[in-house]
Amino acid sequence: MNKNDIQLLYRYNAWANARILNAGAKVTHAQFITPAAFPHGGLRGTLVHTLFAEWIWRTRWEGTSPAKRIKPEDFPTFESLCERWQEEEIKLRVFVNNVTEETLQGQFDYKTTAGEPKRDTLWQVMAHLVNHGTQHRSEAAAILTNLGHSPGDIDLIVFLREQK
């Protein structure tokens, strides 16, 4: 995978996140915080998990291994979550835009939140993060659709066709 491929995937990631967040802006506060039968709970838990993954991986790529997780309780409102996500999106975009072909093919060391040392190839983990986001955006889309606020299609091919 090369830099152009990674940049395309991250443009898709931002586009798909925006579709979910735009639909999420239509829910009530009660709907935002209500638990649901999904792996990370309701809409708030699912979105916070997705944001957490983007944040922790970016910080690991930049050389820091946070030992704590972002939690749903850190975001009492949908607006507070969106504000934090906008900040993270800017930082993630800067990282992606500045990554080099050499860095993508190289390995990086980090520790899990439990302190376990790991080493991975950067492009593989960057691709993983977009794929991970796809899973949890799909869960968020299902929650939103059940609440009457479908984000519409969030498939990669839809994004690609819109770029033409």
Side-chain angles (χ1 to χ4, degrees):
M1 185 149 310
N2 64 39
K3 181 175 179 170
N4 288 336
D5 295 334
I6 287 291
Q7 289 177 330
L8 174 70
L9 286 176
Y10 277 82
R11 285 192 306 275
Y12 160 71
N13 192 68
W15 172 87
N17 283 345
R19 290 192 73 141
I20 294 295
L21 294 174
N22 288 340
K26 299 172 186 168
V27 302
T28 67
H29 178 70
Q31 291 170 326
F32 176 62
I33 64 171
T34 297
F38 284 87
H40 297 282
L43 185 59
R44 178 172 65 170
T46 301
L47 293 176
V48 168
H49 176 74
T50 308
L51 170 61
F52 166 71
E54 292 189 6
W55 168 75
I56 200 162
W57 280 115
R58 179 193 52 80
T59 57
R60 287 170 175 166
W61 302 335
E62 292 176 341
T64 302
S65 294
K68 66 179 187 172
R69 296 176 165 268
I70 296 173
K71 298 176 280 209
E73 301 76 35
D74 297 336
F75 303 95
T77 65
F78 181 77
E79 294 76 19
S80 64
L81 175 67
C82 287
E83 184 177 313
R84 177 64 179 82
W85 211 318
Q86 287 174 346
E87 294 168 5
E88 183 54 39
E89 180 60 36
I90 291 167
K91 292 174 183 176
L92 186 57
R93 187 174 298 136
V94 167
F95 182 86
V96 170
N97 288 341
N98 290 323
V99 75
T100 66
E101 297 287 351
E102 182 181 346
T103 306
L104 279 173
Q105 302 307 319
Q107 294 190 319
F108 70 104
D109 296 305
Y110 64 96
K111 291 182 181 175
T112 66
T113 54
E116 183 181 346
K118 297 285 185 183
R119 173 176 280 180
D120 286 307
T121 302
L122 182 60
W123 78 262
Q124 292 173 348
V125 179
M126 290 184 78
H128 158 74
L129 180 58
V130 174
N131 188 59
H132 176 269
T134 298
Q135 174 185 343
H136 296 298
R137 279 189 299 270
S138 295
E139 294 166 354
I143 294 167
L144 288 162
T145 299
N146 286 340
L147 295 172
H149 303 292
S150 173
D153 289 332
I154 54 173
D155 290 333
L156 175 61
I157 195 68
V158 173
F159 166 77
L160 294 172
R161 289 175 180 153
E162 286 184 7
Q163 304 307 297
K164 290 181 183 179

